[in-house]
Amino acid sequence: MSTTEVFLIAMLIIYSLPYLVWRLGRTDYWAPLVVVQIIGGIVLGPGVLGAALPGYYHFVFTPAVIQSLSGVAWWGVMLFVCIAGVELDLAQTWKHRRESSITAGLALGVPLLFGSLAALSLLSLPGWMGPRAQSWQFVLGIGMSCAVTALPILILLMEKLAMLRSPLGQRILRYASLDDVAIWGVLALILLDWERMGRQLGFLIAFGLCSMAFRALMRRIPADDRWYAALIWLALCAFGADWSGLHFMVGAFLAGAVMDAHWFDQQRLDQLRHHVLLVLMPVFFLSTGLRTNWQVGGWAVFGGAALLLLASVGGKLLGTELAGRVLGWPRAERSLIGWLLQTKALIMIIFANVLLDKQVITSETFTALLLMAVGSTMLTVPVVAPKLARLLGRTPAASAADQQGVEELALRG
């Protein structure tokens, strides 16, 4: 078969298999489609189905096909990260800065500490730290992976729970927004290269100057033209960041972060995020699965994933518990916010992909982080839905529609 035909077979597998599992298995309560797609990428990769059926793997995932899939995945994830940057509402965060900074600081700092301690334990074993990493980069990278909240997936889950537009939902978004900024700052710190410091400093200076010109331009051009200008700006920033050694994902986030959400129609922006998830991100999930590795031993990888999951979830719950006590939240609210903020999935997987690209972590560590992200995300709705139903049941201001939506989710579980 030609490369085009094999590529289309790969695309057929990527879109059909996870969808059929999700739809026929009715997994939505425990595993939304995005989680099934991530798991599908792992299963279709070399560590599972590739090991069981090597003939299938080498026939479908030839070097030419993998290269083509990678190009689609790169652009899709750049769009996704850029949209996440656009959707940051730092103005609201600043308006409620005391509450937001205390919550985000503790919700990020405690799991970062726990994750760093877990990384130190992995550091003592061979096969976990990448060949080009220094110890501090590995420890900080793993710690941040445990601390991050996946803002785009959090939005999707809160939409599912019918709480996104509620006051509580908007508060949670403010906390997650600060964490989202922090992860990209930490990633830039990890990727600092003293040999390329001149390039990186030059990129940051050029980015700051060009951002001012770009923002002035966006205020003056028609609304429809802003979409095209945004794509050009995204490609330019991603190229500049990658050229300087900071990785194109850092550039994609910066490109979105300097854009104001009100420049775009909110409904069309929501649709764009939905379409990127529908059309492009499944290819990224498959490409991510192709990078998994179990060579240190399956049980060792699962053990590492369990350790990281414990550090991530336990740290996030303890952090929000401490924040809630300082700020005087009800006990049930502290737990609910903690479980929502521990959601990982996409942003953490993107972060881990960058660490793997830069050889800060090994494929085995990447696999453990991927399993941790899947477990974290799968826990969210089953734990949160009954908690939210009880919380809304005690809240007179809660709408009947909100209560019904959450109770239906709880009953389906």
Side-chain angles (χ1 to χ4, degrees):
M1 289 187 180
S2 68
T3 299
T4 302
E5 291 169 338
V6 179
F7 173 81
L8 292 174
I9 290 174
M11 295 293 278
L12 178 64
I13 294 171
I14 290 169
Y15 287 102
S16 62
L17 186 61
Y19 173 76
L20 290 173
V21 171
W22 172 73
R23 176 55 67 197
L24 299 179
R26 298 181 179 181
T27 67
D28 202 40
Y29 185 81
W30 294 94
L33 179 57
V34 62
V35 174
V36 177
Q37 289 169 334
I38 295 168
I39 297 173
I42 298 172
V43 172
L44 293 170
V48 183
L49 201 52
L53 300 171
Y56 133 82
Y57 181 80
H58 293 295
F59 170 72
V60 177
F61 299 111
T62 63
V65 169
I66 291 175
Q67 186 176 14
S68 301
L69 292 172
S70 296
V72 176
W74 292 342
W75 184 242
V77 77
M78 278 190 280
L79 283 169
F80 191 85
V81 170
C82 181
I83 294 168
V86 173
E87 291 180 327
L88 288 177
D89 190 354
L90 296 180
Q92 282 297 314
T93 303
W94 177 252
K95 184 178 178 181
H96 303 275
R97 52 189 175 275
R98 178 180 178 273
E99 175 199 359
S100 298
S101 59
I102 290 173
T103 306
L106 289 169
L108 185 77
V110 177
L112 174 61
L113 174 62
F114 283 18
S116 298
L117 293 174
L120 286 171
S121 67
L122 295 177
L123 196 60
S124 62
L125 303 172
W128 296 97
M129 188 171 78
R132 297 185 61 184
Q134 297 183 38
S135 297
W136 72 268
Q137 291 173 309
F138 176 79
V139 171
L140 184 58
I142 298 299
M144 199 65 197
S145 297
C146 293
V148 68
T149 297
L151 180 61
I153 294 302
L154 178 62
I155 291 172
L156 293 176
L157 294 181
M158 289 202 296
E159 284 179 339
K160 186 184 297 293
L161 292 163
M163 62 174 296
L164 179 61
R165 304 303 175 191
S166 68
L168 178 59
Q170 292 301 298
R171 281 172 51 201
I172 294 171
L173 286 183
R174 291 200 302 272
Y175 311 148
S177 295
L178 281 180
D179 287 356
D180 213 37
V181 172
I183 187 174
W184 297 107
V186 168
L187 181 60
L189 176 63
I190 292 172
L191 298 181
L192 279 178
D193 185 344
W194 292 105
E195 294 180 2
R196 305 177 75 178
M197 181 63 74
R199 277 192 180 191
Q200 293 175 344
L201 183 60
F203 163 73
L204 293 174
I205 293 173
F207 172 77
L209 296 174
C210 291
S211 294
M212 292 187 286
F214 174 73
R215 287 179 59 83
L217 173 67
M218 290 289 275
R219 294 188 191 100
R220 288 169 173 77
I221 61 177
D224 285 343
D225 289 0
R226 289 173 181 166
W227 297 96
Y228 297 98
L231 293 175
I232 296 169
W233 174 245
L234 167 60
L236 179 63
C237 292
F239 169 77
D242 208 64
W243 170 82
S244 71
L246 287 176
H247 204 275
F248 59 82
M249 289 304 167
V250 175
F253 177 77
L254 291 174
V258 299
M259 288 190 267
D260 294 342
H262 65 79
W263 289 345
F264 308 96
D265 178 78
Q266 184 61 51
Q267 186 175 0
R268 291 179 66 183
L269 192 62
D270 290 342
Q271 288 176 344
L272 177 59
R273 174 168 29 86
H274 169 76
H275 293 323
V276 170
L277 274 171
L278 174 68
V279 176
L280 296 176
M281 290 305 288
V283 182
F284 170 71
F285 299 141
L286 187 278
S287 299
T288 296
L290 296 180
R291 310 180 78 179
T292 54
N293 197 316
W294 311 82
Q295 289 183 0
V296 299
W299 290 114
V301 171
F302 280 110
L307 175 65
L308 295 172
L309 182 63
L310 180 63
S312 172
V313 176
K316 193 68 76 171
L317 292 178
L318 178 58
T320 52
E321 174 70 20
L322 293 173
R325 291 188 179 187
V326 172
L327 297 169
W329 298 342
R331 185 172 184 177
E333 194 174 282
R334 298 176 220 158
S335 175
L336 187 144
I337 291 173
W339 279 104
L340 282 168
L341 289 179
Q342 64 82 40
T343 302
K344 294 288 180 288
L346 283 182
I347 296 299
M348 198 231 73
I349 293 172
I350 294 168
F351 183 81
N353 267 278
V354 177
L355 296 181
L356 183 60
D357 283 342
K358 296 298 183 179
Q359 299 184 52
V360 174
I361 60 175
T362 63
S363 295
E364 292 80 8
T365 311
F366 176 78
T367 304
L369 287 171
L370 196 61
L371 293 173
M372 181 266 278
V374 169
S376 164
T377 308
M378 290 181 67
L379 284 170
T380 305
V381 171
V383 173
V384 169
K387 289 178 177 290
L388 186 59
R390 289 194 295 271
L391 185 65
L392 290 177
R394 293 198 302 269
T395 306
S399 70
D402 284 352
Q403 292 192 47
Q404 182 180 357
V406 175
E407 288 166 2
E408 284 176 359
L409 275 169
L411 289 172
R412 282 163 55 191

